[in-house]
Amino acid sequence: MKTVGIVGAGPTGLTLACCLARQGVRVRVLEQAAAFATGSRGKTLNARSQEALADLGILDRLTAGGRTHLPFRKYFGGEFIADTDPYADARPTPGTPYPTGLFLPQWKVEGALRELLAELGGQVELDSRLDRFEQGPDGVRVLLADGRTLTADHLVGCDGGRSTVRKQLGIPLEGTSDPEFALVVGDVEVAGLEPDAWHQWFGPEGALMLCPFPGESVWQLQATPEVDADGAPLPPSLESFQRLVEQRTGRRDIRLSRATWLTTWRVNVRMVDRYRVGRVLLAGDSAHVHPIAGGLGMNTGIQDAWNLGWKLGHVLTGLAGPGLLDTYQEERLPVAAWTLGVSSAGMAAVAEGVRTPGVGVEAGRLTDTSGLTIGYRDSSLAEDLLGGPLRAGDRAPDAPYTAPDGTPTRLFETFAGSHFTLLGFGPDSRPALTGLAPHVRPLALAAGPGSAADPDGHVRRAYGIEGDALVLVRPDNHVALTVPAGPGAHDTVRAYLAAL
């Protein structure tokens, strides 16, 4: 059985492990910590990450432990200014079933992914610190600090900004870092404050934010730090947090207790210039770190893994050649560069905006951070022969349709898994939907007897299809190929798949 070693058991590593395990690839998830992390850390899943986790089958359990609407309660100089909800007007549509962010602590995301990995026959190996690795033409030999060794076909570093894998590859994390930390962060219990909003205090003294989590006693605190007599920031502590609360809010009835996670955050804007050296690859924070504005950190890592997962799985199970792995860097490196630019601009906008009463962290949303507009039109995997509004490389939207047996269903339910889906619109598409390989699932829409129906036209509108056509959708729900139906379409589809 083919094996992939994954260093790091955060959301990136676990998403990748689940994507591979459901394709029958053995995974060894190595985590250097002796226990699973419990800090809240990243606290929002954007829409595209929700789509990925729904595809994996765990979004329902995450939604049950999170919330999609959380008012931002803003104060200035200790005085209440306003409540705003950045998702107040967001509603599901046929093409976008998850129109809002999902607020929940990162440990819940990791816990759900670990449960899924266990269901797929895998597990996280705690207290497994990477010492070094050696790669050859047939695989990677991994040596652990405790003397154990393992052999894998590929190794993926999902081990964060201080990545051991990246350092041993000799790939620099290029960019800038502020010398001092900008925020103190921690998980605390809070008394005297209603958990119905994300409370955000701004003013001349600095910033303080307290975010509750549904069903949990813990809140996440973020604040500009106290400073000593020389102006140097003081490290986080429960005592310091309490002083910050009293200073920034002007209230003494808000009491903090049980600081269970304490850390600092500094502005880092860094990324690698390549994601792969031979059989070793990078994903998530090991390849890019950036400001927190826009909440893109955990999401970008999950989406790295979702892109890499099907490609690595298809290569290792013989459905594609090794050259497919080159498209991982080709597609995701520009996304990392975009993320650094957007989050840096957003951080600057927040720093400027919060000087005005009533402005909060939503000032950092300078562009769409849902992930829904990120695509790969320039990728070598994108072949567009229709020229419609939805192009090869774009996200494949959801839409409701009626199955041949009359059952109402959705495209996302049909896409779920590690297969390609070939959508055939109209009778002329029918010949191209036959004789496909097992990893390509056909779906004929209004194509004659026995085909599915699109009674309200949602699928055609979502995909911008007017006549008869074929749309090939990748396992990560991006459009791979569009082609008019009719003579030659059958050969075009098969030539695309053969080229993989």
Side-chain angles (χ1 to χ4, degrees):
M1 179 181 288
K2 299 294 185 179
T3 301
V4 174
I6 298 172
V7 183
T12 303
L14 289 168
T15 300
L16 178 61
C18 291
C19 287
L20 291 168
R22 75 173 177 178
Q23 295 176 79
V25 176
R26 185 187 185 207
V27 291
R28 296 285 300 274
V29 184
L30 309 173
E31 171 55 52
Q32 68 176 10
F36 296 124
T38 58
S40 58
R41 295 170 289 159
K43 58 180 179 295
T44 312
L45 290 171
N46 69 13
R48 192 56 168 159
S49 291
Q50 291 177 65
E51 291 181 355
L53 297 173
D55 191 279
L56 286 170
I58 61 170
L59 184 62
D60 286 348
R61 64 183 94 171
L62 292 172
T63 302
R67 60 191 301 175
T68 55
H69 290 275
L70 181 65
F72 292 9
R73 185 158 297 159
K74 287 167 282 190
Y75 309 79
F76 194 84
E79 298 296 324
F80 169 74
I81 301 297
D83 275 3
T84 61
D85 181 352
Y87 299 114
D89 298 325
R91 299 290 183 273
T93 67
T96 307
Y98 316 113
T100 72
L102 178 63
F103 295 91
L104 76 173
Q106 184 172 315
W107 63 262
K108 285 190 175 182
V109 178
E110 294 175 359
L113 285 165
R114 287 197 302 269
E115 289 176 2
L116 174 60
L117 182 59
E119 293 165 11
L120 294 168
Q123 64 178 2
V124 175
E125 301 176 37
L126 292 170
D127 205 13
S128 297
R129 181 187 296 272
L130 174 70
D131 180 47
R132 64 188 187 278
F133 58 84
E134 304 161 349
Q135 60 172 316
D138 299 319
V140 184
R141 183 169 179 263
V142 181
L143 294 86
L144 303 182
D146 61 7
R148 288 181 293 149
T149 64
L150 67 95
T151 301
D153 294 274
H154 290 273
L155 182 69
V156 185
C158 304
D159 48 342
R162 299 177 181 176
S163 172
T164 301
V165 175
R166 185 193 66 245
K167 291 174 182 176
Q168 291 196 18
L169 285 174
I171 300 177
L173 197 63
E174 297 176 338
T176 62
S177 297
D178 284 1
E180 299 286 356
F181 56 85
L183 293 174
V184 287
V185 186
D187 288 345
V188 294
E189 292 188 1
V190 179
L193 201 61
E194 289 297 318
D196 60 345
W198 184 1
H199 299 263
Q200 305 173 11
W201 287 268
F202 301 100
E205 302 86 3
L208 170 74
M209 295 178 284
L210 282 165
C211 182
F213 295 113
E216 303 294 331
S217 60
V218 69
W219 297 53
Q220 186 186 86
L221 181 146
Q222 298 168 292
T224 49
E226 286 188 295
V227 296
D228 62 19
D230 297 322
L234 294 174
S237 67
L238 178 60
E239 295 75 20
S240 177
F241 285 175
Q242 185 65 54
R243 290 192 297 269
L244 287 170
V245 165
E246 293 175 7
Q247 179 193 55
R248 308 278 164 86
T249 70
R251 295 171 55 176
R252 295 185 176 275
D253 60 316
I254 302 174
R255 308 304 299 176
L256 308 184
S257 60
R258 291 195 67 236
T260 54
W261 171 63
L262 298 170
T263 191
T264 60
W265 178 82
R266 73 183 67 231
V267 177
N268 288 295
V269 185
R270 295 179 175 273
M271 62 179 287
V272 298
D273 63 0
R274 56 196 186 278
Y275 276 35
R276 179 188 178 197
V277 176
R279 292 177 171 269
V280 183
L281 304 102
L282 302 173
D285 287 353
S286 67
H288 42 74
V289 291
H290 51 82
I292 57 178
L296 295 169
M298 174 169 60
N299 293 291
T300 306
I302 288 172
Q303 290 156 41
D304 278 353
W306 203 31
N307 183 289
L308 176 60
W310 76 268
K311 295 173 179 178
L312 190 51
H314 276 228
V315 169
L316 292 176
T317 57
L319 297 176
L324 180 61
L325 294 182
D326 294 335
T327 68
Y328 168 57
Q329 174 178 303
E330 177 190 357
E331 293 182 342
R332 294 304 295 176
L333 196 61
V335 174
W338 174 86
T339 301
L340 265 64
V342 165
S343 58
S344 296
M347 198 71 186
V350 171
E352 178 64 28
V354 297
R355 299 177 184 179
T356 302
V359 177
V361 296
E362 76 281 358
R365 297 175 64 192
L366 299 179
T367 187
D368 178 28
T369 57
S370 69
L372 300 179
T373 56
I374 290 175
Y376 312 121
R377 287 189 179 186
D378 296 328
S379 168
S380 59
L381 294 182
E383 186 173 346
D384 194 282
L385 301 177
L386 279 180
L390 187 75
R391 301 291 184 89
D394 291 349
R395 163 190 172 267
D398 194 14
Y401 72 93
T402 304
D405 65 359
T407 303
T409 186
R410 297 166 47 204
L411 288 181
F412 277 4
E413 294 174 3
T414 303
F415 295 164
S418 301
H419 57 271
F420 281 81
T421 304
L422 183 59
L423 304 177
F425 295 87
D428 285 350
S429 71
R430 208 63 185 261
L433 298 172
T434 60
L436 297 169
H439 68 287
V440 184
R441 181 175 298 175
L443 176 61
L445 290 151
S451 66
D454 183 19
D456 299 314
H458 287 304
V459 182
R460 277 191 175 270
R461 282 194 296 274
Y463 285 77
I465 304 298
E466 294 183 357
D468 289 8
L470 292 144
V471 176
L472 183 65
V473 178
R474 298 168 14 169
D476 61 351
N477 297 6
H478 282 269
V479 176
L481 166 71
T482 67
V483 59
H490 179 280
D491 293 337
T492 300
V493 172
R494 278 148 188 78
Y496 179 94
L497 292 167
L500 295 180

